[in-house]
Structures are given as structure tokens and as C-alpha cells.
Amino acid sequence: MASFTRRRNGVARRLTACEPIPTNVWVELSAVHNKACMLCGQKEISEQLYGKLYQLNDIIVHYFCLLLSNTVQNGSNNEGICGFVLKDIKKEILRGSTETCVYCNEKGATISCCGVKCQKVFHLPCGLKNDSMHQYFLSFKSFCQKHRIPQIIGSSELQNSTPAQCAICKLAVKTSPSPTTIFAPCCDQKYAWFHRECVQDLALGPDDFLKCHICKDDEKLKCKMLILGIYIPSRSLKKLNHKNIDWDTSPYAWEDLMVKHCTCNAVKCLYPFQNQQIPQRDSRAWEIIMCRVCGSNKTHRLCSFLKCSEEWDCVACQAVPDNAKRTTKKRK
């Protein structure tokens, strides 16, 4: 299978496998090239699981590995790899080289679970093998198996214990919430169950393919599928009314806004007031400071001997040279 590049005018050009890969142009690789993603270390190419495999000069990454990492999309869609600047990608690869995956115990983990007080870090392929869940919109959150967002289904739908068929592939499907099955929220039918893989295949097809095969609804189905971790290309979301997305129906939707980050990740925590009120004179010393680069690790000001206005870089981010302060610009 040949790879593809983009010309400066945006027109795609087909490359044969024997052609040299051009410089300063991001290229879509195929299995013929036998190259591994520098974020997860896997050579497997699966648009459904990891997204397409891209190369820009000496950088090779899966698209989903790039979206779910801490890299910020600072460029336009034509810059870098899909808007991710080459300099930022290299920093993220270097930062991941200091993180160990909780599943395979290998270095290079760049995806963190967003569950409250969960500190699991893993590769995308390792997480998917262990039933992780990933959201491909807004802040691109990831969840481990313990903290993945469950689909809320009414008791009347769960009362149907008879075997059901996936409305897409017509094969047997489990009629209960699981990492491999999804219930269509647009239907009142008790047999509206789908395989997750079948729904993802439809989402990667043409614009009008992602529709409920029972009631033919598309908008409500797409909104719910985004929350449940189905990747929907931007071309299919242009006509979507985002006001209809019920963000607050998830049990974890607002939980992280109500919990104060209070876990100290310093090498040695000196905090003495366990289950006690902090004296007012010491409240400044025990203030929680977040890492200015990754934002996931925290420390008490006194535990890291920080001055009043001094910022802090965690141990993992200190290994990355030239740590410029990152902006809070959200990915498109």
C-alpha cells in the first residue's frame, strides 16, 4: 500500500514504496515502511485503534498517540503534523522516555489517566489491551480500566436477557455495558446494541455512514459516541450541534472540578498536618504547586524549598532540556 503526502496547496500526492520520503512534509506511512511510532514503540498500523502513522523528517508518531499525549497543538493544520509543531513533539518524546508504563514496565509512556488521584501512565496500545478509554474532543482525556466512564443504561433495557445481534455486522453481541459493546442512546428498542469496533468503523467512513441502523438518527448518536470514546473525524462533526452534547450526564464529568489536588509528588514530602487543620501562619508554606510543564505532578512549596513566586518542574520534566513555559492554548 502506498503512502500519501500533502503538497503545499493541500492536494494529496501518492508515493510508491520505493520513493524516498521527502523532508519538511508530513507523510502517511504504511506497513511496507516497517517503522515504529516513537511515542508507543509499536509498528502496527491500525486507523481504528491508533490512528494513521505519520512521519515528519526524523519523527514518526501515531495520530492518536499524539492527540492523547501532553503535546499542545500550537500550529495551524498545515504546520508540523496535523498542527503539532515538530519542536513540541520532540519534547514530548523526550519527556516520555523518563516515564514507565504500568502495564509493560517499558519506558516511553506518555498517556496519563484522568481519574481522581490516579497516577497511572501507559502506552496507548498497552492501555487499549487493558480496557482503557479515550475521548477525542476538547481536552482529549484518557481513563484506565478502573476509571473509564460507564454507559448509563435504564433498567428496562437491561431486563432483556435474550441474545441480540449487532445491528451493523449481524453477529452476536453482549447485551450489557462492557468495553466492547455500546447501546444506542437514540433508540427505545431493547435490542439496539452494537459492537464498539463496528461503530468505530462507521465513524471512519464517509460523512453519512455514522447513523443508527435502527432509527437512522445521526446527531444524538454522534454526541454520545464522543463521550464514550469513539473517534469521529472533524469532517463528520461540522454539521453537529454541540449544544445537544450532554456533557454533564457522565458520572465523572464535573468530579475533577470539585476535588482539590492535594497529593505531593516531591521526592520526600514533609507535610506534618495529616487530618489536621493547617495553622494560618503556615498555610503559605504548605500551598500545593503544580508542575508548570505537565501540570499533573504536584508539590508543597516547602517540600521543594520554593520561594514565594518561584515555579516548579517535576522530576520527569526536569529531564527535558530547555523547558519553556507552555501556553494553555487548547487543542483544536
Side-chain angles (χ1 to χ4, degrees), residues 206-270:
D207 297 357
D208 56 348
F209 267 40
L210 187 56
K211 293 182 179 179
C212 179
H213 277 47
I214 299 176
C215 67
K216 305 304 179 183
D217 177 89
D218 59 344
E219 184 166 331
K220 187 175 181 181
L221 181 68
K222 288 180 180 179
C223 293
K224 194 65 177 181
M225 294 304 103
L226 281 173
I227 299 175
L228 295 177
I230 297 297
Y231 170 74
I232 303 177
S234 57
R235 65 176 184 273
S236 300
L237 297 176
K238 291 180 180 179
K239 299 180 180 180
L240 186 63
N241 184 4
H242 292 273
K243 294 181 179 180
N244 295 334
I245 302 181
D246 49 347
W247 312 111
D248 55 341
T249 57
S250 164
Y252 299 106
W254 311 107
E255 184 175 4
D256 54 346
L257 300 179
M258 306 302 244
V259 178
K260 183 179 180 180
H261 298 278
C262 57
T263 303
C264 178
N265 301 115
V267 177
K268 183 178 180 180
C269 182
L270 306 174

Side-chain angles (χ1 to χ4, degrees), residues 5-71:
T5 64
R6 289 185 182 271
R7 295 177 180 174
R8 291 185 178 180
N9 58 5
V11 180
R13 182 170 63 90
R14 184 181 296 272
L15 291 179
T16 61
C18 60
E19 279 188 89
I21 296 177
T23 58
N24 300 324
V25 179
W26 58 278
V27 182
E28 180 187 340
L29 301 179
S30 64
V32 177
H33 296 91
N34 194 30
K35 294 186 178 182
C37 172
M38 300 176 70
L39 289 173
C40 69
Q42 297 293 323
K43 293 183 179 180
E44 181 182 356
I45 298 179
S46 173
E47 186 178 359
Q48 183 191 81
L49 298 177
Y50 317 128
K52 297 179 180 180
L53 185 64
Y54 292 122
Q55 178 173 351
L56 175 60
N57 296 344
D58 58 338
I59 298 299
I60 305 170
V61 289
H62 284 122
Y63 183 50
F64 290 174
C65 292
L66 194 58
L67 285 178
L68 300 170
S69 66
N70 289 335
T71 312

Side-chain angles (χ1 to χ4, degrees), residues 95-108:
R95 186 191 70 84
S97 64
T98 63
E99 298 286 348
T100 304
C101 176
V102 296
Y103 299 116
C104 68
N105 294 323
E106 297 290 338
K107 295 290 185 179

